[in-house]
Amino acid sequence: MTTTATVPTADPAASAPPAARGRGRVALRRFAANRNALTGAVVLLLLFLLAFAGPYLTPWSHTDIDYSALREAPSADHWWGTNRIGQDVYAQVLHGLQKSLLIGLLTALTATVLASVVGACAGYFGGWTDRIMTFFIDLLLVFPAFLIIAIVSPRLRERGWIVFVGLLAVFGWMITARVVRSMTRSLKEREFVRAAQLMGVHPLRIIARHILPNVSSFLIVDATIAVGGAVMSETGLSYFGFGVQPPDVSLGTLIADGSDAALTYPWMFFFAAGLLVVFVLAVNFLGDGLRDALDPTSGHHRTRRRPRRKGTTHDRAAR
Amino acid sequence: MTAPPADAVTPARTAALAVRDLHVDFDGPEGPVPAVRGVDLTLNPGEVLGLVGESGSGKSTVALAAMGLLPRTARVRGSVLAGGTELLGAGEKALSRLRGSRVAMVFQDPLSALTPVHRIGDQIAEAVRVHQDVTREQARRRAVELLDLVGIPDPARRARAYPHEFSGGMRQRAVIAMAVANDPDVILADEPTTALDVTVQAQILDVLRTARRETGAALLLVSHDLGVIAGMADRVAVMYAGRVVESAPVDALFAAPRMPYTIGLLGAVPRPDTGGRPLTPVPGSPPDLRKLSGGCPFAPRCPLADDACGDEPALTGTGDDHDHLAACVKTPGPGLYPVPEIPPATAGAEAPRSERPAVLRVQGLAKTFPVFKGTAFRRRVGSVYAVDGIDLDIRRGETLGLVGESGSGKSTALMEILRLAAPEAGEVEILGRSAAGLTKRQAHALRGSVQIVFQDPMASLDPRMPVGEIVAEPLRAQGHGRADAAGRIPRLLELVGLEAAHADRFPHEFSGGQRQRIGIARALAVEPELLVLDEPVSALDVSVQAGVLNLLQRLKRELGLAYLFVSHDLAVVRHIADRVSVMYLGRTVESGPVEEVFARPRHPYTQALLSAVPVPDPSRERARERILLAGDPPSPAVRDEGCRFRGRCPLYAALGDAERSRCEGVRPAPRSLGGDQVAACHFAAG
Ligand code: SF4
Ligand code: SF4
């Protein structure tokens, strides 16, 4: 034991931290090493590219009507065919994809952020904070969300789809928040949180650095489900005449319109439906990978299993 | 496996229990995981065989396998003969006939052996009726007799109680009563006292002795506690990595161990009777049984290991000594493990105690918890006096050991001190500043000077944070910049014996001892003056614990730290503390320099506590006189005007009426009894 007799003070030469890689960097590295996650991310990126760059490749816009081609099968002129009033399906689907991508991702993100902040604060601080927040959550839960959106959304139509995202998010976070709250309450009793408290770490910092990372697995799974859920709710609402309204389209409205013709004129249905499936799958892959990347214990077995089988013992022994 | 049976004298037929070449594998996600790899044991009639080992050594699995109690995922091979009857592979019906009548089992957790919905007496009577043809009434009477045998007061009434109405010690007594109900030939006791307090442990061990005397049964005592083994066993088998590595009569094993692992274990265990002896830790940690390479499993940690250890050595004796067997190809000499050097104290700490500044002073600290009843309308029906008068005094560079059994209020007291706010009653002074008058900012600054290390290193480290960030957290909380904090991490990790390169690993990638070192590094990051250590080594195995204790000692000397060391393990306290403070039911009952208190305890409770601590030395254990305390601590929900220890105090029992009334009516104040030693008892001899 030859360590010197002082508590180490900062050594300016060593202040560029070579070893102390932050959690973010570690997670990023693990994310990059996860094939599922990368696939998900790449597919999602391609979808965005398709949705926002794709429309420039065709002369048709989603509102144009080609009276000479009603219900036409895919051709050189109309790549994915036309619908019953002669609109170009390619242009429409891409436009709908834009909407659905944005609505799905933004709604899930907003709802999850809202849920985690409210849930974690209620669970962590307890007392009156908890009571007020829980009351608020319960109040929103008993509101008939569908009805309220139905009433409110026509009035806000001019503000566009972003308001719609807000509405969907506002009514979609409560159950998640309740779960986060109860998870926080049990995490709060854990020793590492108590240790942080006794070190004098600020409560909000504890929430950000200890509580939320430890509920992240749940949040991510929940958010990926919420993406699909948001697209579906939007479809439902649009079907009843709220939400996205013609001439604007979303994947949801397109699927609803095309579903009758799915067997007779499949192109009116399957392009939109297929893209929706690809979208939801990509989000799931991405979420799965993100969860593994953020959870240091999860990938452990998966990434190390192969060398271990071959009988490598030194990586443990070296520790 | 050509190892001769652990004891060649008794053939397997006549032995009370004979285990031969026992192998147990558990199904794992990545193939079978071995737990027991060829164990031979012979338990002679009426003998006590101690089976020692650290966690994961397979010792409990052996006992469970013998009883046929392993889960379905276990694959068992070999043979277990109980009085000539093969237990392995016997049908469930045959087994249940044998269980109880031939072989009985006492578990670590008595609750698992008792059905919560039946009365204790009925459960014992049931056990009697399964194996004996008696009437219900006779069985019930026998149950009461048995409860009396195991020392349960008022057995006829207690037989009608339910398990949850019993304390832990009482439940274990009931389980022992059930075990001896049918006069078994063999009792298997798997860590029977591990979950219990020291004074209760002494009671239970005594009951086990009584039970053995009454039934003449042989006892297989599985334990990790060398002291318990030394006091109970006739012969000892030491297990490591799923095999018996040494087996010998108890005296020979403790006096002249032959296997390097046993030598290391005995050198690493602190003793309550000799304080200053440095502990010699065994380097490394137990192997992962999935990854054994085929050689001696101890080789990675063994100072003697060389090429000759390439084959797994068999358990053999030397010359014509067939009693003392060891699985080692070498003959280790003395001084096998290097004795760690503890550096001398830094200059400031050498000054006489009274001249050193006080780091923590606590006087008359109290904390009560309200007790509520009712769900709709909660009303307060009473209070629990968890802490009811605690005095502490820690000077710079000093270690105060705070001892107390469960329920003594140790943890509550700690939390009250660490809250850095005005206590309910009494005074807390940290670094000369009263906690009562602190502003928020002052309290925050003071947090940097008082750091805590928790008991369970896994639970106290955020599993989602890399070690570097964990260690840097208190620095960041005290306002250090990110770069500054990061710059200190490598040296902090090296200070506690870890590698700087480990900073981006996660806690689960470390062993238990290493995790505790991370916890210590985190606590040291902000250069505290006082370190509160809450049972810092009680979750660790002996061979690892010694390393952490040595580290703490070295850090204290080098950095001039003061420790408040909370522990229920008196041997550890004796080893590391300079002064000791004993708590009973929320009150300090005795304090003083550790040598004096351990050599001459004055308070009757301290006397009983110290006499109950097992010493890992068979001859001393046999010669010791024990003061057995009656019963369990009373409920802390009653505020007692007099002495809270009264109900169990042997001194009180011997007093006359006039003197007793003092114990009953007057709360004993701490009295100085020569030198520094203080005891809170009216009648403690000066
Ligand atoms: S066989 Fe070799 S490695 Fe094993 S304990 Fe003996 S000397 Fe050590
Ligand atoms: S004050 Fe009385 S009851 Fe208390 S410890 Fe002393 S003798 Fe025993």
Side-chain angles (χ1 to χ4, degrees):
Chain A
M1 301 282 169
T2 50
T3 346
T4 42
T6 44
V7 163
T9 41
D11 178 359
S15 59
R21 224 162 318 180
R23 157 160 58 192
R25 296 269 286 285
V26 175
L28 202 67
R29 200 182 51 200
R30 292 166 55 90
F31 185 82
N34 187 319
R35 204 175 306 147
N36 281 359
L38 277 188
T39 317
V42 167
V43 170
L44 208 58
L45 218 68
L46 287 177
L47 282 178
F48 266 98
L49 208 68
L50 181 67
F52 288 93
Y56 296 109
L57 300 181
T58 171
W60 303 98
S61 88
H62 72 282
T63 44
D64 292 348
I65 294 173
D66 182 358
Y67 293 106
S68 63
L70 305 180
R71 292 183 183 138
E72 199 157 274
S75 65
D77 207 12
H78 296 286
W79 297 344
W80 291 357
T82 58
N83 67 6
R84 62 172 71 86
I85 56 170
Q87 287 167 317
D88 185 67
V89 173
Y90 175 78
Q92 281 215 308
V93 165
L94 292 200
H95 190 79
L97 184 62
Q98 279 181 16
K99 278 276 127 51
S100 290
L101 279 174
L102 290 174
I103 289 178
L105 292 178
L106 279 181
T107 306
L109 200 71
T110 322
T112 306
V113 168
L114 201 63
S116 53
V117 169
V118 173
C121 285
Y124 186 82
F125 293 108
W128 277 107
T129 319
D130 184 28
R131 256 170 262 173
I132 292 169
M133 286 180 165
T134 316
F135 173 77
F136 194 63
I137 289 172
D138 289 346
L139 196 71
L140 276 178
L141 267 179
V142 297
F143 271 160
F146 195 88
L147 219 64
I148 291 182
I149 295 181
I151 294 167
V152 175
S153 66
R155 288 155 209 255
L156 297 172
R157 181 149 306 150
E158 307 79 59
R159 311 266 175 82
W161 57 273
I162 198 82
V163 176
F164 191 62
V165 166
L167 279 173
L168 279 178
V170 158
F171 287 99
W173 59 277
M174 291 85 68
I175 296 189
T176 315
R178 293 213 75 140
V179 179
V180 171
R181 171 177 167 271
S182 67
M183 287 172 89
T184 306
R185 279 161 67 109
S186 72
L187 276 173
K188 200 186 154 191
E189 300 303 314
R190 296 273 292 275
E191 263 180 10
F192 63 84
V193 174
R194 184 143 322 148
Q197 289 168 343
L198 290 176
M199 279 184 269
V201 181
H202 193 274
L204 291 179
R205 207 177 153 82
I206 293 182
I207 290 180
R209 288 174 59 87
H210 292 288
I211 304 281
L212 291 182
N214 278 289
V215 298
S216 63
S217 293
F218 165 75
L219 285 178
I220 289 169
V221 172
D222 189 72
T224 49
I225 296 173
V227 170
V231 175
M232 285 306 146
S233 327
E234 175 266 318
T235 310
L237 283 164
S238 304
Y239 186 78
F240 284 105
F242 321 110
V244 177
Q245 291 303 312
D248 212 353
V249 289
S250 73
L251 286 188
T253 57
L254 290 174
I255 291 170
D257 286 349
S259 59
D260 304 337
L263 294 177
T264 41
Y265 309 105
W267 59 89
M268 285 158 64
F269 173 75
F270 281 110
F271 286 110
L275 280 178
L276 181 64
V277 168
V278 170
F279 173 38
V280 172
L281 272 181
V283 169
N284 272 311
F285 271 111
L286 185 73
D288 229 33
L290 206 59
R291 195 189 52 188
D292 280 355
L294 287 177
D295 180 0
T297 53
S298 76
H300 194 62
H301 306 288
R302 226 165 286 170
T303 47
R304 296 254 173 110
R305 187 181 290 167
R306 228 165 289 130
R308 190 183 288 167
R309 279 242 178 99
K310 281 179 196 149
T312 320
T313 52
H314 54 259
D315 72 336
R316 264 291 167 90
R319 277 170 211 162
Chain B
M1 307 282 164
T2 50
D7 188 333
V9 186
T10 319
R13 296 246 136 244
T14 56
L17 187 77
V19 177
R20 291 289 174 267
D21 199 23
L22 182 72
H23 287 258
V24 180
D25 294 319
F26 286 103
D27 279 337
E30 292 164 37
V33 181
V36 175
R37 307 180 300 121
V39 163
D40 292 300
L41 290 174
T42 306
L43 187 58
N44 299 322
E47 180 189 47
V48 182
L49 175 62
L51 193 57
V52 266
E54 298 181 289
S55 48
S57 63
K59 56 186 190 310
S60 294
T61 315
V62 170
L64 291 174
M67 284 295 272
L69 291 176
L70 286 174
R72 273 175 197 285
T73 54
R75 265 173 270 155
V76 188
R77 279 174 293 135
S79 132
V80 178
L81 289 175
T85 316
E86 177 65 52
L87 297 183
L88 288 194
E92 194 57 33
K93 224 177 188 172
L95 265 183
S96 49
R97 212 177 322 118
L98 288 170
R99 274 185 214 144
S101 65
R102 275 263 179 79
V103 190
M105 181 119 188
V106 178
F107 295 93
Q108 172 177 350
D109 175 17
L111 263 189
S112 65
L114 295 169
T115 318
V117 293
H118 291 303
R119 298 173 197 276
I120 298 263
D122 293 348
Q123 297 192 41
I124 299 174
E126 175 75 31
V128 172
R129 275 167 57 85
V130 167
H131 295 287
Q132 295 171 31
D133 189 19
V134 290
T135 64
R136 197 162 289 239
E137 199 36 54
Q138 282 169 318
R140 201 160 290 163
R141 238 177 297 131
R142 175 95 178 109
V144 174
E145 272 171 41
L146 286 165
L147 286 176
D148 191 37
L149 173 76
V150 296
I152 288 183
D154 196 1
R157 193 173 59 81
R158 301 296 259 168
R160 288 196 296 275
Y162 289 95
H164 71 264
E165 299 173 75
F166 273 29
S167 67
M170 298 274 264
R171 279 184 210 133
Q172 197 60 292
R173 283 170 195 259
V175 171
I176 295 175
M178 210 185 293
V180 298
N182 294 297
D183 221 349
D185 301 329
V186 181
I187 302 174
L188 303 178
D190 182 12
E191 304 264 11
T193 57
T194 302
L196 305 172
D197 281 321
V198 195
T199 56
V200 182
Q201 160 170 301
Q203 296 169 359
I204 296 298
L205 292 177
D206 206 51
V207 170
L208 269 177
R209 284 194 198 98
T210 317
R212 229 171 53 72
R213 205 175 45 235
E214 292 292 314
T215 59
L219 174 65
L220 179 67
L221 179 65
V222 179
S223 178
H224 70 283
D225 189 329
L226 288 162
V228 170
I229 296 284
M232 294 286 292
D234 303 321
R235 264 188 325 122
V236 184
V238 182
M239 282 192 71
Y240 185 78
R243 298 195 63 175
V244 175
V245 293
E246 181 154 8
S247 141
V250 65
D251 291 291
L253 187 101
F254 280 88
R258 276 190 23 218
M259 161 81 188
Y261 173 65
T262 319
I263 297 172
L265 211 54
L266 288 172
V269 64
R271 291 175 57 149
D273 50 345
T274 53
R277 180 185 63 117
L279 305 178
T280 53
V282 183
S285 46
D288 187 338
L289 290 190
R290 275 170 300 193
K291 301 186 201 159
L292 286 181
S293 51
C296 173
F298 189 59
R301 306 172 71 187
C302 181
L304 289 180
D306 60 21
D307 293 344
C309 311
D311 291 322
E312 184 145 16
L315 199 61
T316 51
T318 48
D320 46 34
D321 181 0
H322 294 300
D323 260 355
H324 193 158
L325 311 172
C328 176
V329 295
K330 304 260 167 90
T331 324
L336 185 56
Y337 294 92
V339 177
E341 245 179 81
I342 308 291
T346 45
E350 278 303 289
R353 177 164 196 274
S354 53
E355 287 169 24
R356 277 181 268 153
V359 177
L360 174 73
R361 186 149 47 215
V362 175
Q363 207 128 56
L365 179 70
K367 169 80 182 170
T368 51
F369 293 103
V371 179
F372 292 106
K373 234 194 177 144
T375 37
F377 298 98
R378 272 155 58 91
R379 62 211 141 82
R380 191 173 172 152
V381 293
S383 304
V384 172
Y385 300 91
V387 175
D388 189 26
I390 287 186
D391 309 317
L392 301 172
D393 179 18
I394 306 180
R395 301 298 170 97
R396 190 201 196 100
E398 167 177 282
T399 304
L400 175 73
L402 185 61
V403 212
E405 298 182 286
S406 52
S408 63
K410 287 175 304 195
S411 317
T412 315
L414 277 195
M415 284 305 140
E416 279 305 291
I417 294 167
L418 290 169
R419 229 161 38 96
L420 301 187
E424 194 178 296
E427 231 180 287
V428 176
E429 222 178 85
I430 295 166
L431 300 174
R433 303 168 72 166
S434 167
L438 291 176
T439 63
K440 229 174 172 182
R441 174 165 298 181
Q442 284 169 328
H444 183 78
L446 208 52
R447 289 219 179 276
S449 311
V450 186
Q451 293 286 309
I452 179 166
V453 175
F454 289 91
Q455 169 176 8
D456 181 351
M458 193 67 218
S460 63
L461 305 176
D462 188 339
R464 300 260 171 148
M465 259 200 197
V467 165
E469 279 190 42
I470 290 177
V471 173
E473 187 161 34
L475 283 167
R476 305 277 290 126
Q478 288 296 323
H480 292 258
R482 188 180 295 264
D484 175 29
R488 296 188 196 206
I489 294 169
R491 302 233 354 240
L492 276 166
L493 290 177
E494 275 160 21
L495 189 70
V496 296
L498 297 171
E499 283 169 45
H502 288 170
D504 57 351
R505 297 207 180 152
F506 288 88
H508 69 95
E509 296 176 62
F510 293 85
S511 71
Q514 287 175 319
R515 280 183 213 138
Q516 197 55 294
R517 285 167 193 263
I518 297 168
I520 294 170
R522 170 173 68 180
L524 289 179
V526 281
E527 306 178 30
E529 299 207 30
L530 173 66
L531 216 57
V532 175
L533 301 150
D534 186 4
E535 304 264 9
V537 293
S538 55
L540 306 177
D541 276 323
V542 169
S543 66
V544 176
Q545 155 185 319
V548 174
L549 286 177
N550 284 341
L551 170 71
L552 286 173
Q553 245 169 350
R554 180 169 63 81
L555 290 171
K556 180 184 116 176
R557 297 278 168 79
E558 285 179 355
L559 309 173
L561 297 167
Y563 292 155
L564 172 55
F565 192 101
V566 181
S567 181
H568 70 280
D569 186 335
L570 285 132
V572 169
V573 168
R574 173 76 183 94
H575 180 76
I576 197 158
D578 303 312
R579 298 172 62 79
V580 61
S581 180
V582 183
M583 286 182 64
Y584 184 76
L585 269 183
R587 291 182 188 168
T588 307
V589 294
E590 180 158 5
S591 64
V594 75
E595 302 86 25
E596 284 174 39
V597 173
F598 273 71
R600 282 178 304 282
R602 305 297 175 85
H603 194 283
Y605 174 64
T606 320
Q607 288 168 352
L609 195 62
L610 288 176
S611 86
V613 186
V615 183
D617 182 342
S619 52
R620 286 203 49 151
E621 272 290 290
R622 277 194 291 269
R624 250 149 55 106
E625 232 184 90
R626 285 219 162 65
I627 307 171
L628 281 185
L629 287 183
D632 303 294
S635 155
V638 191
R639 176 140 235 177
D640 207 312
E641 284 310 314
C643 176
R644 281 186 145 185
F645 185 51
R646 205 170 56 228
R648 304 172 75 194
C649 179
L651 191 53
Y652 172 81
L655 289 176
D657 279 346
E659 291 156 317
R660 280 192 180 189
S661 65
R662 255 188 94 193
C663 297
E664 282 153 21
V666 186
R667 176 177 176 157
R671 255 188 329 133
S672 175
L673 294 165
D676 245 354
Q677 205 168 341
V678 174
C681 167
H682 295 305
F683 301 102

